[in-house]
Amino acid sequence: GEGAAEEMPELSDGDDDDIDDDDDEEQWQWLEEEDSQPVNVTCLFCDRLLRSVPATLQHCTAEHQVNLVDVIRKHNLDDYGYIKMINFIRSTKCDASCLTGLPDAPLPWESEDFLRPVLQDDPLLQTDPEEICGNEGSGLLTSPSSVAESHNALLQRAQAAEERARCSEEALARAMDDLHKLKLLAQGLVLNAETGRSGNLSTVAELREDEDEAYFSSYGHYGIHEEMLKDKVRTECYRNFMYRNPEVFRDKVVLDVGCGTGILSMFAARSGAKKVIAVDQSEIIYQAMDIVRSNQLEDKITLIRGRIEDINLPVEKVDIIISEWMGYFLLFESMLDSVLYARDLYLADTGSVYPDLCNISLAAVGDRQKHQDRIAFWDDVYGFNMACMKKAVVPEAVVEVVKADTLISEPTIIQTFDCNKVCLSELEFASDFCLKITNTADCTAIVGYFDIFFDKVCSNKVMFSTGPQVTKTHWKQTVFLLERPVSVQAG
């Protein structure tokens, strides 16, 4: 391959002298041990409570004739081995003598089960075995009463710990940047391999039995999100609603259902939200994580992958639910059912779903040429009669942009929903309607579209329409063709 994606990106230098400062590490690890605040540590071999980890180790040596430092060194225990040993002793209540004369391998605590703590918040598990061994006899394993650190010394150690934390954060940031570069490199390699591969395309064309999985998988493709973000009517309306009504979001907890790239979550965070929880089932969530970090909003926005019906949020209630859930003709392949689920489970009594109001409208269309192309076409197809196809074609709605000058009636609203009140059962409905004809013509189709409103407690109300009379959106309009044109009179 020769693409730029295959060139190894320049990565940060992993060496950091500040982080390798052994003296600082000793101060950091043993700061809590040397604090004057005593802790209660239960002995490993009896019920006695000791006032510190060093005191406990001295007690085990004096009273039970077992030196844990010798055991750690003899078997070269790392952090995990040390933790397993402590939990093994506590869970089996073994005698101290069983630790002497153990074979080099296998050790009785090899099982991963011994990684599970026996005692909650066991101070022995919070102690670094390297520090135990490295500080034996240094005065740090003396009793707490003999450790008298001055206020200035403790302050210096705290400052050193803070500096180490800062250095660690910088190293983590560099590592995250390196990871992102490598991820882009891997994506480039995979994409190049796919485009150069011939033959079996079954993995691309594979149909999934689970409709939900197929739906969410489609939203993992970046082109869909690009199309939605470039829909200025849609995106700017959400932005204007949040930016022009900051009092609605100030210090609120917001849930973004189907967050995609996280654009609505970031609008909410910039509008003053205290916390935003963004949920999406598709793999776009991983790009959203990078986007949120790139805009320094990770302290406000928490991203979770999964269906809202299957996950548990880190909060009991939210103040606001935002979502761009609308499908074609409002309800086709929409996520409103998921939004209503989240509303019923998580929305506070005084909270609100946005957008909160929406309606569906119909209008008559007179477009002979379009009807000829779609319906009359089947009467003569290269000299063959395929008129039977009309019965199959007519029931299928067509999503396309309708020219405003082909409208021959005033629109009429056939249904209105309040997203804070509507029930799932109300989303399936039948509605009689009348259209006031404005032009004498042949009616060839009925066009459907929807309008969206951000209304509740908004000082600056915002709305947008997907109708043929205004700027087009990625939803376009939904056209229901008539099998035969119907002559209509104005009025």
Side-chain angles (χ1 to χ4, degrees), residues 53 133 160-162 239 245 247 263 311 314 319 322 337 358 375 461 467 489:
V53 170
C133 297
E162 185 177 355
R239 182 197 64 186
N245 296 279
E247 70 281 357
I263 185 69
I311 65 173
D319 303 301
I322 55 172
D337 54 342
C358 47
I375 303 299
K461 302 183 188 302
Q489 301 291 321

Side-chain angles (χ1 to χ4, degrees), residues 145-274:
S145 60
S146 65
V147 180
E149 292 288 344
S150 68
H151 174 75
N152 289 338
L154 289 175
L155 181 60
Q156 290 175 357
R157 289 170 182 259
Q159 290 171 341
E162 185 177 355
E163 176 63 18
R164 281 180 52 77
R166 183 188 65 78
C167 294
S168 297
E169 288 177 354
E170 291 177 355
L172 177 60
R174 290 195 298 272
M176 292 298 297
D177 185 57
D178 289 346
L179 182 62
H180 180 66
K181 292 176 182 177
L182 290 171
K183 182 169 67 174
L184 294 177
L185 172 66
Q187 288 175 346
L189 291 171
V190 172
L191 289 174
N192 287 343
E194 287 295 335
T195 55
R197 183 185 304 159
S198 61
N200 186 9
L201 296 177
S202 61
T203 55
V204 177
E206 180 183 359
L207 295 177
R208 302 169 190 245
E209 295 180 0
D210 188 320
E211 291 184 1
D212 272 351
E213 187 176 353
Y215 172 80
F216 288 117
S217 176
S218 70
Y219 279 87
H221 298 292
Y222 305 139
I224 293 177
H225 297 279
E226 180 180 352
E227 180 185 24
M228 291 189 293
L229 290 171
K230 287 181 175 178
D231 185 341
K232 298 183 69 173
V233 173
R234 160 207 181 261
T235 308
E236 289 183 358
C237 187
Y238 275 90
R239 182 197 64 186
N240 293 342
F241 152 61
M242 287 186 255
Y243 283 8
R244 294 176 185 176
N245 296 279
E247 70 281 357
V248 174
F249 287 85
R250 189 172 296 118
D251 297 326
K252 295 296 195 298
V253 177
V254 178
L255 170 62
D256 181 358
V257 179
C259 66
T261 58
I263 185 69
L264 302 188
S265 294
M266 293 189 290
F267 285 157
R270 288 274 173 87
S271 298
K274 176 174 63 178

Side-chain angles (χ1 to χ4, degrees), residues 1-303:
E2 297 177 358
E6 295 184 48
E7 297 178 5
M8 178 60 70
E10 182 178 350
L11 305 181
S12 63
D13 186 356
D15 294 332
D16 193 328
D17 294 337
D18 294 332
I19 294 178
D20 291 333
D21 190 328
D22 292 335
D23 293 335
D24 282 353
E25 182 169 346
E26 288 184 7
Q27 293 172 345
W28 170 260
Q29 295 286 354
W30 285 88
L31 178 60
E32 184 174 326
E33 284 291 329
E34 296 175 349
D35 197 336
S36 59
Q37 293 293 330
V39 294
N40 289 324
V41 187
T42 303
C43 174
L44 290 167
F45 306 104
C46 66
D47 294 329
R48 183 170 173 181
L49 289 178
L50 288 306
R51 293 171 62 84
S52 71
V53 170
T56 304
L57 299 177
Q58 288 184 338
H59 167 79
C60 290
T61 302
E63 298 295 327
H64 301 289
Q65 289 76 50
V66 60
N67 188 326
L68 290 179
V69 172
D70 291 343
V71 176
I72 294 170
R73 287 174 173 167
K74 176 181 177 182
H75 300 289
N76 196 24
L77 298 182
D78 58 10
D79 290 348
Y80 291 108
Y82 168 76
I83 290 171
K84 289 179 181 180
M85 179 188 71
I86 297 298
N87 290 323
F88 166 80
I89 296 171
R90 291 204 186 280
S91 62
T92 61
K93 296 181 172 56
C94 68
D95 188 79
S97 60
C98 77
L99 296 185
T100 60
L102 284 173
D104 292 338
L107 295 170
W109 51 77
E110 295 286 1
S111 171
E112 299 295 311
D113 293 340
F114 294 117
L115 286 173
R116 187 179 298 111
V118 177
L119 294 184
Q120 192 70 22
D121 298 325
D122 189 345
L124 285 173
L125 297 181
Q126 300 168 9
T127 304
D128 188 345
E130 291 184 7
E131 293 299 330
I132 292 176
C133 297
N135 290 282
E136 185 191 31
S138 67
L140 291 173
L141 294 183
T142 58
S143 64
S145 60
S146 65
V147 180
E149 292 288 344
S150 68
H151 174 75
N152 289 338
L154 289 175
L155 181 60
Q156 290 175 357
R157 289 170 182 259
Q159 290 171 341
E162 185 177 355
E163 176 63 18
R164 281 180 52 77
R166 183 188 65 78
C167 294
S168 297
E169 288 177 354
E170 291 177 355
L172 177 60
R174 290 195 298 272
M176 292 298 297
D177 185 57
D178 289 346
L179 182 62
H180 180 66
K181 292 176 182 177
L182 290 171
K183 182 169 67 174
L184 294 177
L185 172 66
Q187 288 175 346
L189 291 171
V190 172
L191 289 174
N192 287 343
E194 287 295 335
T195 55
R197 183 185 304 159
S198 61
N200 186 9
L201 296 177
S202 61
T203 55
V204 177
E206 180 183 359
L207 295 177
R208 302 169 190 245
E209 295 180 0
D210 188 320
E211 291 184 1
D212 272 351
E213 187 176 353
Y215 172 80
F216 288 117
S217 176
S218 70
Y219 279 87
H221 298 292
Y222 305 139
I224 293 177
H225 297 279
E226 180 180 352
E227 180 185 24
M228 291 189 293
L229 290 171
K230 287 181 175 178
D231 185 341
K232 298 183 69 173
V233 173
R234 160 207 181 261
T235 308
E236 289 183 358
C237 187
Y238 275 90
R239 182 197 64 186
N240 293 342
F241 152 61
M242 287 186 255
Y243 283 8
R244 294 176 185 176
N245 296 279
E247 70 281 357
V248 174
F249 287 85
R250 189 172 296 118
D251 297 326
K252 295 296 195 298
V253 177
V254 178
L255 170 62
D256 181 358
V257 179
C259 66
T261 58
I263 185 69
L264 302 188
S265 294
M266 293 189 290
F267 285 157
R270 288 274 173 87
S271 298
K274 176 174 63 178
K275 182 180 183 64
V276 182
I277 302 167
V279 178
D280 203 294
Q281 165 71 358
S282 76
E283 292 188 359
I284 193 67
I285 194 78
Y286 300 120
Q287 298 298 324
M289 292 175 181
D290 288 342
I291 292 169
V292 167
R293 280 193 293 266
S294 297
N295 289 276
Q296 293 80 50
L297 290 171
E298 63 270 27
D299 58 329
K300 285 192 175 183
I301 301 175
T302 300
L303 296 111

Side-chain angles (χ1 to χ4, degrees), residues 266-484:
M266 293 189 290
F267 285 157
R270 288 274 173 87
S271 298
K274 176 174 63 178
K275 182 180 183 64
V276 182
I277 302 167
V279 178
D280 203 294
Q281 165 71 358
S282 76
E283 292 188 359
I284 193 67
I285 194 78
Y286 300 120
Q287 298 298 324
M289 292 175 181
D290 288 342
I291 292 169
V292 167
R293 280 193 293 266
S294 297
N295 289 276
Q296 293 80 50
L297 290 171
E298 63 270 27
D299 58 329
K300 285 192 175 183
I301 301 175
T302 300
L303 296 111
I304 303 173
R305 184 180 183 187
R307 296 174 71 249
I308 190 66
E309 294 87 349
D310 298 333
I311 65 173
N312 293 315
L313 296 187
V315 296
E316 290 188 5
K317 295 293 179 182
V318 299
D319 303 301
I320 294 172
I321 295 177
I322 55 172
S323 180
E324 195 275 76
W325 53 265
M326 296 79 76
Y328 296 116
F329 200 37
L330 188 66
L331 297 178
F332 180 69
E333 285 193 349
S334 82
M335 290 201 319
L336 184 54
D337 54 342
S338 295
V339 173
L340 299 186
Y341 176 90
R343 178 198 68 185
D344 295 341
L345 186 60
Y346 294 114
L347 189 64
D349 293 338
T350 57
S352 182
V353 176
Y354 291 105
D356 51 316
L357 300 177
C358 47
N359 60 42
I360 301 175
S361 297
L362 296 177
V365 176
D367 190 338
R368 269 288 187 178
Q369 185 59 49
K370 188 73 71 175
H371 191 273
Q372 172 68 32
D373 293 343
R374 292 280 172 79
I375 303 299
F377 161 78
W378 298 103
D379 290 331
D380 183 356
V381 181
Y382 299 101
F384 297 98
N385 182 351
M386 296 189 182
C388 60
M389 284 293 296
K390 293 181 183 180
K391 296 293 184 183
V393 172
V394 168
E396 289 187 348
V398 180
V399 176
E400 62 184 10
V401 175
V402 173
K403 296 177 181 178
D405 59 10
T406 64
L407 297 180
I408 60 173
S409 79
E410 294 180 358
T412 185
I413 297 174
I414 63 168
Q415 187 63 280
T416 298
F417 296 119
D418 182 339
C419 295
N420 288 295
K421 299 177 181 178
V422 68
C423 299
L424 194 60
S425 60
E426 296 175 301
L427 301 183
E428 295 186 13
F429 65 92
S431 175
D432 295 329
F433 64 94
C434 294
L435 296 173
K436 183 177 180 179
I437 301 299
T438 56
N439 294 347
T440 298
D442 288 338
C443 179
T444 58
I446 303 296
V447 62
Y449 61 92
F450 60 89
D451 304 321
I452 295 296
F453 302 85
F454 299 86
D455 186 86
K456 185 177 179 182
V457 302
C458 293
S459 57
N460 295 290
K461 302 183 188 302
V462 179
M463 65 85 60
F464 71 88
S465 175
T466 63
Q469 316 91 327
V470 295
T471 305
K472 72 174 184 178
T473 69
H474 77 280
W475 287 285
K476 304 177 184 178
Q477 290 87 42
T478 304
V479 178
F480 305 91
L481 293 163
L482 303 181
E483 185 173 357
R484 295 183 182 86

